[in-house]
Amino acid sequence: MKKTSTRLADGRELIYYDLRDDTVRTAADRRPLDRTVTTSEIRRDVLLGDSVAIASHRQGRTYHPPADECPLCPTQGERLSEIPDSSYDVVVFENRFPSLAGDSGRCEVVCFTPDHDASFADLTGEQARLVLDAWTDRTSELSHLPSVEQVFCFENRGEEIGVTLGHPHGQIYAYPFTTPRTALMLRSIAAHKEATGGENLFDAVLRRETAGRRVVLEGEHWVAFVPYAAHWPYEVHLYPRRRVPDLLALDEAARTEFPQVYLELLRRFDRIFAAGDGDGGQGAADEPRTPYIAAWHQAPFGTLEEFDGVARDDFALHLELFTIRRTSGKLKFLAGSESGMNVFINDVPPERAAERLREVASS
């Protein structure tokens, strides 16, 4: 992997990640951009104990542009974009409309491929490995910023999820605090550790799941399963078999196997509904690609003093992949119980979801 860092016309950082070591990146951003001005502010909710990012400048962000005006495609002639070069393998840049900025953290965009009509599932193993290396490098770099406590790499796919740019891309949020979801996990780790005399909760969960009925696919170094208490109709958690706190700690064997396992998992998600969901949904060959969120959970880089007896190494890196589609042509909406009280109601039994994801395996 070759890494080349440059600056866009408004001062934002852009980094090319190339497969070839002899690739040269010298193209300049020719757009007449003013310096980016953000109004991001973190406000603490004293009742719930969580934080909210107030970012009014995001109201003006790019919204469903036509394909020939996509800002994530490479620059071609006088059609200028966020990527000055006429080609790229993987590129990362600071978001022009960030939810977090300055002392409030940082937001970056990750473009997986220059092919506007592709998806992550269409990448080759070599391309997927390059994305993994880019995620890892950005996690390392962002973790050293003084305002950053946790790094979150994720992908939103599909208009149903709320994606406003159709080009295959993900994002990285560098938070100035430990996120509420991670804090819940850390408290559960602490409680389980105390109740069992030191057992790691993630190890216990992985042991139970790999011995059960909800395993979807597994390799030598990775295993994917539908969790016992899945919140979403189709939800899969992907774990390295060796517990590590973050992407930085993955060994070479796990990095090498990751593309094979993850690409197969994404392709199965696309086949669930195209082939019919097996529960009354009538899928079709032209069924839209499955909308999903893919979210990497990593240990915070800040202090864990508030979580009694928990160290960074007690946390387990894992990826959570889920869709809001519950059957062909129908979405799972977060209504009163979910949005009002954070109590999820899942229409698809996790065991059935796992069975279905095994059924649509590649031949």
Side-chain angles (χ1 to χ4, degrees), residues 160-179:
E160 301 93 330
I161 296 293
V163 174
T164 57
L165 295 176
H167 196 104
H169 72 287
Q171 300 180 65
I172 303 175
Y173 277 21
Y175 297 102
F177 51 79
T178 296
T179 61

Side-chain angles (χ1 to χ4, degrees), residues 157-209:
R157 188 181 80 168
E159 290 188 19
E160 301 93 330
I161 296 293
V163 174
T164 57
L165 295 176
H167 196 104
H169 72 287
Q171 300 180 65
I172 303 175
Y173 277 21
Y175 297 102
F177 51 79
T178 296
T179 61
R181 189 174 177 87
T182 302
L184 286 174
M185 293 184 196
L186 292 169
R187 293 188 186 101
S188 295
I189 293 170
H192 185 83
K193 198 171 186 178
E194 181 178 4
T196 60
E199 182 185 47
N200 182 273
L201 178 57
F202 282 110
D203 290 351
V205 167
L206 191 58
R207 184 170 60 251
R208 180 187 70 185
E209 294 291 2

Side-chain angles (χ1 to χ4, degrees), residues 132 135-136 139-140 143 150-151 153 222 240 242-251 254-255 296-301 312-318:
L132 175 64
W135 282 331
T136 304
T139 296
S140 175
S143 71
Q150 187 172 3
V151 179
C153 307
W222 295 87
R242 183 178 70 87
R243 173 165 46 90
V244 295
D246 52 40
L247 290 165
L248 304 173
L250 287 174
D251 60 24
R255 293 181 183 280
W296 280 109
H297 291 260
Q298 306 191 78
F301 289 94
R312 287 195 81 249
D313 288 346
D314 289 323
F315 195 88
L317 167 76
H318 63 285

Side-chain angles (χ1 to χ4, degrees), residues 1-4 16-25 88-91 112-114 123-134:
M1 178 187 78
K2 181 180 181 181
K3 176 182 175 182
T4 306
Y16 294 98
Y17 293 90
D18 287 295
L19 291 167
R20 292 174 55 96
D21 290 336
D22 59 353
T23 302
V24 177
R25 300 293 184 186
Y88 63 84
D89 291 334
V90 173
V91 69
F112 304 139
T113 169
L123 300 183
T124 65
E126 186 179 38
Q127 290 173 310
R129 169 61 190 266
L130 184 61
V131 175
L132 175 64
D133 290 342

Side-chain angles (χ1 to χ4, degrees), residues 60-222:
R61 67 187 183 274
T62 308
Y63 189 80
H64 294 300
D68 61 358
E69 296 178 17
C70 175
L72 306 185
C73 288
T75 287
Q76 297 293 334
E78 295 306 309
R79 194 187 80 176
L80 309 179
S81 76
E82 289 279 67
I83 297 93
D85 215 320
S86 59
S87 67
Y88 63 84
D89 291 334
V90 173
V91 69
V92 177
F93 59 89
E94 290 183 75
N95 198 319
R96 191 176 178 186
F97 304 96
S99 302
L100 309 166
D103 293 339
S104 297
R106 176 158 156 152
C107 293
E108 298 182 341
V109 176
V110 184
C111 297
F112 304 139
T113 169
D115 185 350
H116 181 85
D117 297 317
S119 178
F120 200 117
D122 299 322
L123 300 183
T124 65
E126 186 179 38
Q127 290 173 310
R129 169 61 190 266
L130 184 61
V131 175
L132 175 64
D133 290 342
W135 282 331
T136 304
D137 181 71
R138 297 315 302 153
T139 296
S140 175
E141 294 291 328
L142 293 171
S143 71
H144 289 96
L145 296 180
S147 63
V148 172
E149 189 164 313
Q150 187 172 3
V151 179
F152 176 46
C153 307
F154 65 100
E155 180 192 1
N156 299 326
R157 188 181 80 168
E159 290 188 19
E160 301 93 330
I161 296 293
V163 174
T164 57
L165 295 176
H167 196 104
H169 72 287
Q171 300 180 65
I172 303 175
Y173 277 21
Y175 297 102
F177 51 79
T178 296
T179 61
R181 189 174 177 87
T182 302
L184 286 174
M185 293 184 196
L186 292 169
R187 293 188 186 101
S188 295
I189 293 170
H192 185 83
K193 198 171 186 178
E194 181 178 4
T196 60
E199 182 185 47
N200 182 273
L201 178 57
F202 282 110
D203 290 351
V205 167
L206 191 58
R207 184 170 60 251
R208 180 187 70 185
E209 294 291 2
T210 53
R213 302 165 48 198
R214 292 178 297 276
V215 172
V216 174
L217 62 89
E218 49 189 332
E220 183 179 354
H221 304 284
W222 295 87

